[in-house]
Amino acid sequence: MIILHICDWYSPIGGAEKLLFDTLNALEQNGHTNIVVYNDNPNQHPAGQRVEYAVTGLEFFVYFSPGVGVLTRQAIPKLKKIIDEHKPDVCHIHNFQNPIITEFLLGKIPCVRSIHDPRLYCFTNWRLLPDKSICPYALGPECVKQGCISSGLVPKTDFDRNAQWVLKHHELHKSMPVLIGESRAQIDCMMQNGFQKKQIAWLPNFTPIQPASQVRKYIRQHSDASERMVLFVGRASYEKGIHILIEACKHITCKCKIVIITAGPLLDEIIDQAKPFSDKIEIIPGLPYEQTREYYARASVVVVPSVWLENFCLVGLETYANMKPVIGSRIGGIIDWLKDGETGWTFNPGDPKDLAAKIDLAFEDPKNLHKIGEAAYERVMTHYNQELYTARLVNIYKRGIKRFNGNRII
């Protein structure tokens, strides 16, 4: 099968992008051919392992700006040429927010779309209300009532200016042959926002997994049981809940070290917040995965303190693949893969005292901590492995092709 992949970012900057690269590798290992199209930007990092095209005008940085429609339509002839030359069987749309290009693709080729975040049905991206609480509403009048966008004809914020494009993209996806949901919580959100159950395919994330003997050897090489490390890995932004982990330091009674590997818009703010706990917290600005993996090996437990409805959270699977347990918010897609008391512990979202209590609990019994880490590895091996993911994804591609061809006949 020949698959055309289209994305805004073709660089391993976050979980969605890491999943993209792992997916490409998995498909190629199974004999499929990938062609990747991504937005032309000097910060992109093409892999050079497959056919890759940087195309100008794919990503909207500020949607409502003069000439944005003209600029992005200039990409269509280039895309048409790529499709005509390579004749892909299906197009897999990843993190991509351009409705003009999406509309072209839907009319040209069978498409499936991975939904990695709420931007398809939320004007403010993360489904958080202005008071930072989780939004329970569908895209519609409540967006104005709750103050997420303004009423009136004159736009007052970037969210207002982008609103027409979000609405267009939302409506276009009603005709997307297949939408890929990563968790039950995410699928519930998609259905709440008008997408049809028959349109949605459930495909949990995966992560590459090494044999148990190799993982244990790697842990022995890099870890020190006396270190007692609590690790966070993720983006420096509000929804990831780093502030909750830092606040928990006031309540942790056990002896431990907290390491935060992060990069993003709130990095400076996080560094400032952590200053009163300089004896307990170490902040490391972003690392590539291979270096991050050394910290997984050294960690006693990994914390996922998200305060939004995580679609899935790939960090959990990476932790499991390194035989370590997770302490995670009892929220969104996290509860699909995190089994309380079996592969880690859950805590009340946004509650630093409860998080501190679970960190203390984890360190009460080192033997149990090791046992839970082993159970976490078994869970990722059984439910979130590459072979299972690839087989499911190829079936989703076939479903998208069949639906596209059926619609054309009608």
Side-chain angles (χ1 to χ4, degrees), residues 90-208:
V90 65
C91 177
H92 188 160
I93 303 173
H94 298 269
N95 258 6
F96 186 72
Q97 314 304 325
N98 187 326
I100 294 172
I101 299 300
T102 300
E103 187 172 30
F104 162 74
L105 291 169
L106 282 170
K108 180 71 175 177
I109 185 174
C111 294
V112 305
R113 165 75 187 244
S114 289
I115 310 299
H116 296 296
D117 56 50
R119 283 181 287 177
L120 188 59
Y121 42 82
C122 177
F123 291 117
T124 59
N125 301 342
W126 304 112
R127 220 161 180 249
L128 293 172
L129 295 174
D131 65 0
K132 303 296 187 182
S133 63
I134 292 172
C135 175
Y137 307 109
L139 191 73
E142 285 291 342
C143 302
V144 176
K145 291 180 182 178
Q146 299 298 323
C148 295
I149 60 172
S150 308
S151 59
L153 297 176
V154 180
K156 298 177 182 177
T157 67
D158 281 346
F159 293 135
D160 292 349
R161 286 182 276 276
N162 292 346
Q164 64 163 316
W165 297 105
V166 174
L167 288 171
K168 181 176 176 62
H169 217 199
H170 180 265
E171 286 304 309
L172 273 174
H173 280 75
K174 302 287 181 65
S175 58
M176 182 68 65
V178 184
L179 294 168
I180 300 174
E182 300 175 337
S183 66
R184 290 173 291 183
Q186 182 193 30
I187 289 171
D188 287 344
C189 287
M190 292 162 69
M191 293 178 65
Q192 179 194 28
N193 281 278
F195 300 105
Q196 300 300 309
K197 187 175 182 179
K198 65 180 181 180
Q199 186 186 12
I200 301 169
W202 183 19
L203 181 65
N205 292 176
F206 86 103
T207 194

Side-chain angles (χ1 to χ4, degrees), residues 13-35:
I13 58 174
E17 291 75 26
K18 184 178 184 299
L19 179 64
L20 165 60
F21 280 92
D22 288 341
T23 298
L24 294 171
N25 292 333
L27 288 167
E28 287 159 6
Q29 289 169 22
N30 279 268
H32 303 287
T33 300
N34 295 310
I35 297 114

